[in-house]
Amino acid sequence: MPQAEHQPVLLDAALAALEPRESGICVDATYGRGGHSRAILGVLGAGGRLVAIDQDPDAAADAEALAARDPRLTFVRGSFRELRAHIEALGLLGRVDALLFDLGVSSPQFDVGARGFSFRHDGPLDMRMDPDAGAPVSDWLHRASHGEIASVIKRLGDEPFAGRIASAIVAARAETPVATTRRLAELVVAAVPARVSAGKRIHPATRTFQALRMHVNDELGALDAALDATLDVLAPGGRLAVISFHSLEDRRVKRFMRTQARPAPPPVPMAAAPDPALRLQGRPVRAGADEAGANPRARSAIMRVAERTGAPRVSA
């Protein structure tokens, strides 16, 4: 099946927020299919540099092909969880002028059934961003308790029928492992009352698949680690832009930026409070009606932007 063309979300807004300089050092921590990276390269001059990071093998193939044509691009295969180590290895710690995160799953990943992200294409129930690391979600579903499965689906998917779905999975695996996306989707559809799913815009399995994907990749843990590393990676005056698609992600980004934008307590009473580590830049940005209409993925997107100061981090 041909893949749908990937449309980068909030592209113009991200470029405006990051303000990449012609000779700047930029990082795209979530290369995906390179939409944002190509736009940044279009702004950089001959002396500029872009570092792109991604753990997905298909993203790596695309990025490496682009890097072979454009020496300004350096690609790193890995997770943004290790952002600090990746940038330190390149000798760029504290020198980055613009840093972008576009969280979640890129559209082409949903179109490849073998990756196991989508209930619309049958394939192995995998869901790993990096298929060379860890174990597929089917393995976890086979050994996890009813309570663990229900907790993950409820907490990460905000699924009101998490308990019923977990019961269906546990009952089904007693006969045969739940090993394909189609089988899992069928179990979820059967567990969710028809009166609830009737007329809904989203498929009944949407929340469950999202929750299991976030769990098997520890997406929230990786985000927390990456956000903390941004304070070491960015140069004073460097811009950070984070595009998220899930309220759990956005709340973490919001909390991190607000915490680091608060002045630290003064070292002694009556002394002037030190400057904060970040300065918030404008209000959160959402896609306009035209972009949301043309690209459904943009409907839930929200971008937050901050600028690094020269001050040390604020202890949370």
Side-chain angles (χ1 to χ4, degrees):
M1 180 177 295
Q3 294 184 12
E5 182 181 356
H6 178 62
Q7 302 177 54
V9 171
L10 295 174
L11 179 60
D12 293 339
L15 286 180
L18 291 171
E19 297 182 347
R21 297 181 292 107
E22 286 193 10
S23 59
I25 299 173
C26 304
V27 174
D28 181 351
T30 48
Y31 179 84
R33 291 304 180 270
H36 289 107
S37 283
R38 288 178 171 83
I40 292 171
L41 288 170
V43 175
L44 294 178
R49 184 172 184 184
L50 173 63
V51 178
I53 302 169
D54 209 297
Q55 58 187 330
D56 180 85
D58 295 325
D62 187 279
E64 288 165 355
L66 180 58
R69 302 191 301 270
D70 193 329
R72 298 173 300 167
L73 173 63
T74 300
F75 178 70
V76 178
R77 169 86 186 273
S79 169
F80 60 56
R81 181 193 295 273
E82 286 82 39
L83 174 66
R84 189 187 193 284
H86 296 323
I87 301 305
E88 185 175 27
L90 295 171
L92 300 177
L93 210 58
R95 298 172 56 193
V96 173
D97 302 302
L99 172 56
L100 173 67
F101 292 85
D102 178 8
L103 305 175
V105 181
S106 64
S107 301
Q109 287 175 309
F110 282 113
D111 294 325
V112 180
R115 299 300 303 278
F117 290 114
S118 176
F119 46 79
R120 301 189 186 281
H121 305 286
D122 193 28
L125 190 56
D126 195 314
M127 296 195 186
R128 289 173 294 172
M129 295 288 191
D130 182 354
D132 297 326
V137 74
S138 57
D139 286 10
W140 182 77
L141 286 177
H142 185 66
R143 66 176 185 273
S145 69
H146 174 279
E148 289 171 328
I149 297 171
S151 176
V152 165
I153 296 174
K154 176 62 177 177
R155 179 172 54 89
L156 299 180
D158 196 25
E159 172 56 68
F161 299 100
R164 293 178 59 151
I165 293 169
S167 294
I169 292 171
V170 170
R173 78 184 186 190
E175 300 180 5
T176 183
V178 181
T180 68
T181 54
R182 177 175 295 167
R183 180 62 177 140
L184 176 60
E186 291 171 347
L187 291 171
V188 175
V189 169
V192 175
R195 58 178 172 76
V196 174
S197 57
K200 294 286 186 179
R201 287 176 53 184
I202 65 171
H203 190 282
T206 299
R207 294 188 181 94
T208 295
F209 271 65
Q210 169 189 282
L212 294 177
R213 187 206 78 221
M214 293 179 72
H215 173 72
V216 77
N217 293 290
D218 188 23
E219 293 181 24
L220 296 181
L223 176 59
D224 287 341
L227 289 173
D228 184 68
T230 63
L231 299 176
D232 298 321
V233 167
L234 287 165
R239 289 289 183 91
L240 167 66
V242 185
I243 302 171
S244 56
F245 299 84
H246 188 284
S247 60
L248 290 176
E249 295 169 337
D250 181 56
R251 281 200 291 270
R252 275 170 157 74
V253 176
K254 178 181 179 180
R255 182 174 64 243
F256 168 78
M257 288 187 174
R258 286 190 172 182
T259 297
Q260 297 303 325
R262 290 198 303 262
V268 294
M270 305 303 292
D275 289 337
L278 294 175
R279 291 192 183 95
L280 303 182
Q281 300 296 305
R283 299 175 63 84
V285 178
R286 294 185 182 274
D290 289 344
E291 180 178 3
N295 184 5
R297 185 170 178 259
R299 294 171 186 162
S300 60
I302 181 170
M303 180 176 70
R304 297 183 185 272
V305 183
E307 182 176 281
R308 183 73 167 100
T309 70
R313 72 183 67 231
V314 176
S315 298

